[in-house]
Amino acid sequence: MNNFNWDTGFSVDFDLQTGLSGQAVTTKRRLSQMVDTFYDSEAARKMVEEQGDPLVYEFHELGCPERAGDLAFGTTVLYPGKVGNEFFCTKGHFHTVLETAEVYYTLSGKGVMVMENPEGHTVEIPMSKGGAVYVPRRYAHRTVNTGDQPLIFFYTFAADAGHDYGTIETRGYHHLITDDGKGGWKTEDNPHWRDA
Ligand code: PAN
Ligand code: ZN
């Protein structure tokens, strides 16, 4: 555990030079935990068996109390890789309190913030070092690493926002972010998206 005092303040070393092994504990997502996140889930299962279950991403759990007025924050490292033609990404979620926004600030790497609201409006915003992305209220958000280096970003959101992963797990995202074969990325409609 940690000694972060959410009532009197603290600083934390994210220790990005040595991975995320510093003071802050990280939550790790390996491919075996998210095969159905990817369009070609069979290819994902095969990678798990043949490549020793790669680490897709990890992010800090600083233990911010989930109370009004606090700001949860941390750093995510999303590793480079692909399942078939689809780039490694986070699971993505809505906030349980749908009307809560979030800010992401990219520290290194490049990628895309992929967002959609319950009405099906979609937005994709490129991420690169030094850029901040505003994730508006009501939008599910997923990050995608479109480069060949880790995509590392800082995030902060209202601590009582809550996380709804189930909606995305059930319905999927409208869009997939795939390799365009020319060193970049493209958006494709997700044939598995369900209006459930
Ligand atoms: C971020 C994300 C983090 C991991 O802290 O939780 O990048 O992505 P998933 O939560 O989709 O697995 C955030 O948006 N918090 O609200
Ligand atoms: Zn969020």
Side-chain angles (χ1 to χ4, degrees):
M1 277 314 285
N2 54 61
N3 296 314
F4 306 142
N5 191 319
W6 297 88
D7 295 310
T8 57
F10 61 91
S11 81
V12 54
D13 181 0
F14 283 145
D15 199 13
L16 296 174
Q17 306 313 315
T18 57
L20 293 182
S21 57
Q23 302 171 44
V25 177
T26 64
T27 296
K28 296 180 174 56
R29 296 276 180 249
R30 294 190 175 276
L31 189 54
S32 60
Q33 298 168 281
M34 51 185 303
V35 286
D36 293 324
T37 298
F38 295 96
Y39 172 71
D40 192 347
S41 49
E42 275 314 308
R45 276 190 197 94
K46 212 162 165 221
M47 280 175 72
V48 170
E49 281 166 25
E50 293 175 359
Q51 297 178 27
D53 200 6
L55 182 60
V56 180
Y57 62 102
E58 55 186 317
F59 58 102
H60 290 111
E61 295 275 51
L62 301 187
C64 184
E66 293 187 13
R67 59 190 185 188
D70 274 298
L71 289 172
F73 70 97
T75 302
T76 299
V77 178
L78 173 56
Y79 294 99
K82 280 186 295 189
V83 175
N85 214 23
E86 191 180 358
F87 290 109
F88 274 11
C89 62
T90 57
K91 286 184 170 191
H93 57 266
F94 287 94
H95 291 153
T96 311
V97 181
L98 203 52
E99 310 292 330
T100 38
E102 181 157 354
V103 171
Y104 281 60
Y105 181 73
T106 303
L107 299 164
S108 66
K110 58 180 185 171
V112 191
M113 171 69 79
V114 188
M115 303 189 287
E116 63 181 56
N117 71 8
E119 290 72 41
H121 182 243
T122 60
V123 187
E124 277 99 44
I125 299 180
M127 298 171 71
S128 61
K129 182 178 169 149
V133 173
Y134 189 69
V135 178
R137 302 172 311 150
R138 309 189 84 257
Y139 279 76
H141 38 289
R142 159 179 290 167
T143 49
V144 181
N145 186 339
T146 58
D148 55 11
Q149 300 297 316
L151 173 65
I152 306 179
F153 53 84
F154 175 89
Y155 61 83
T156 185
F157 59 96
D160 57 350
H163 291 84
D164 163 19
Y165 289 99
T167 303
I168 294 297
E169 279 169 6
T170 306
R171 300 177 58 159
Y173 253 79
H174 281 74
H175 286 164
L176 308 175
I177 305 297
T178 57
D179 193 338
D180 70 356
K182 295 179 277 186
W185 56 277
K186 63 184 193 304
T187 296
E188 290 186 61
D189 286 336
N190 177 10
H192 289 169
W193 182 80
R194 306 202 273 137
D195 192 4

